[in-house]
Amino acid sequence: QQQVKQSPQSLIVQKGGISIINCAYENTAFDYFPWYQQFPGKGPALLIAIRPDVSEKKEGRFTISFNKSAKQFSLHIMDSQPGDSATYFCAAMDSSNTGKLIFGQGTTLQVKP
Amino acid sequence: NAGVMQNPRHLVRRRGQEARLRCSPMKGHSHVYWYRQLPEEGLKFMVYLQKENIIDESGMPKERFSAEFPKEGPSILRIQQVVRGDSAAYFCASSLTGGNTGELFFGEGSRLTVL
């Protein structure tokens, strides 16, 4: 019940295309859903986050779509660029106030020039 | 405005030795989290600490692993009698407020290799 399932495991997109990564969860107590971006040899960095009171959040080329009833959320990267090539992790946080993030397995994105 | 600082960045130990990983949170942050990342896997929560207190250690292995966050100085993750399966990247994150109200800021990780 604490799992967050992420797909696909890897993704190749042409420059200018749309990258879509999906995540699903089971625990209805989750109420904070961030996406992290990680470059090789670096730590994860927060990209964008959403709470379940909204269905979509957009920041620049990055959009989170959230479907509370289906317990699914996704990251869309519009106009994907080679510099977006990285590993992306979705995560979820429960409301027990410990700040513990449960991460998905990660998606390695490669954007081809 | 330094971020979360972890050291060492790389550590090599032989089986049976001890590994100590240090984490200095961002200035003003008193909430520290440790995560472990195995190759080709996501990050797994290990422990959550505030100054001088362990708040949640539900992800810590029952034996050989311990963590502390003293009143002064960095947080330390200690692994005794390391085994090859301990080889991983260990990430520390800090938060200003803790709970689910604040962003977690991650360090660049400490990569442990056990020979």
Side-chain angles (χ1 to χ4, degrees):
Chain A
Q1 197 179 17
Q2 286 291 314
Q3 281 188 325
V4 176
K5 295 183 179 180
Q6 183 173 346
S7 63
Q9 186 175 358
S10 62
L11 182 61
I12 300 175
V13 173
Q14 289 294 130
K15 179 182 176 182
I18 302 173
S19 303
I20 302 174
I21 305 171
N22 301 299
C23 284
Y25 64 97
E26 296 179 355
N27 187 348
T28 55
F30 288 151
D31 58 3
Y32 175 66
F33 302 90
W35 285 88
Y36 280 81
Q37 181 188 55
Q38 184 180 31
F39 293 103
K42 301 294 185 181
L46 179 66
L47 193 61
I48 187 172
I50 198 169
R51 294 193 184 271
D53 53 342
V54 296
S55 60
E56 186 175 282
K57 184 175 181 180
K58 184 176 180 179
E59 290 184 1
R61 296 184 294 109
F62 300 91
T63 300
I64 299 179
S65 297
F66 187 82
N67 186 330
K68 187 175 181 178
S69 60
K71 291 184 282 186
Q72 295 176 348
F73 58 110
S74 60
L75 176 69
H76 292 62
I77 306 174
M78 313 299 287
D79 187 26
S80 299
Q81 299 296 312
D84 296 331
S85 298
T87 300
Y88 293 81
F89 294 96
C90 63
M93 184 183 285
D94 65 28
S95 56
S96 65
N97 290 324
T98 65
K100 179 170 64 181
L101 281 173
I102 308 299
F103 282 86
Q105 297 88 337
T107 297
T108 301
L109 170 66
Q110 182 183 358
V111 181
K112 290 193 169 183
Chain B
N1 185 19
V4 176
M5 304 300 292
Q6 290 188 247
N7 68 82
R9 292 293 311 281
H10 300 275
L11 183 63
V12 178
R13 286 288 179 266
R14 297 192 179 279
R15 283 179 295 172
Q17 292 184 320
E18 178 179 288
R20 285 195 179 214
L21 310 178
R22 289 175 291 278
C23 170
S24 296
M26 287 184 69
K27 187 176 181 179
H29 288 195
S30 60
H31 302 260
V32 166
Y33 305 79
W34 285 93
Y35 285 79
R36 176 164 62 175
Q37 185 176 34
L38 294 169
E40 309 300 325
E41 292 190 15
L43 292 91
K44 304 294 186 186
F45 169 80
M46 298 182 75
V47 62
Y48 163 40
L49 310 103
Q50 292 183 38
K51 284 285 188 182
E52 300 183 277
N53 291 301
I54 296 174
I55 307 302
D56 182 348
E57 57 181 345
S58 58
M60 286 280 272
K62 294 289 186 287
E63 297 176 348
R64 303 188 298 107
F65 285 73
S66 62
E68 62 177 7
F69 189 16
K71 185 177 181 180
E72 301 292 337
S75 175
I76 295 175
L77 180 67
R78 180 185 180 198
I79 310 172
Q80 294 178 289
Q81 299 175 334
V82 297
V83 300
R84 288 213 173 112
D86 296 333
S87 295
Y90 292 83
F91 289 95
C92 170
S94 73
S95 171
L96 180 63
T97 57
N100 64 353
T101 59
E103 176 184 349
L104 293 189
F105 294 84
F106 283 83
E108 296 201 332
S110 291
R111 284 154 182 82
L112 171 66
T113 300
V114 180
L115 301 178

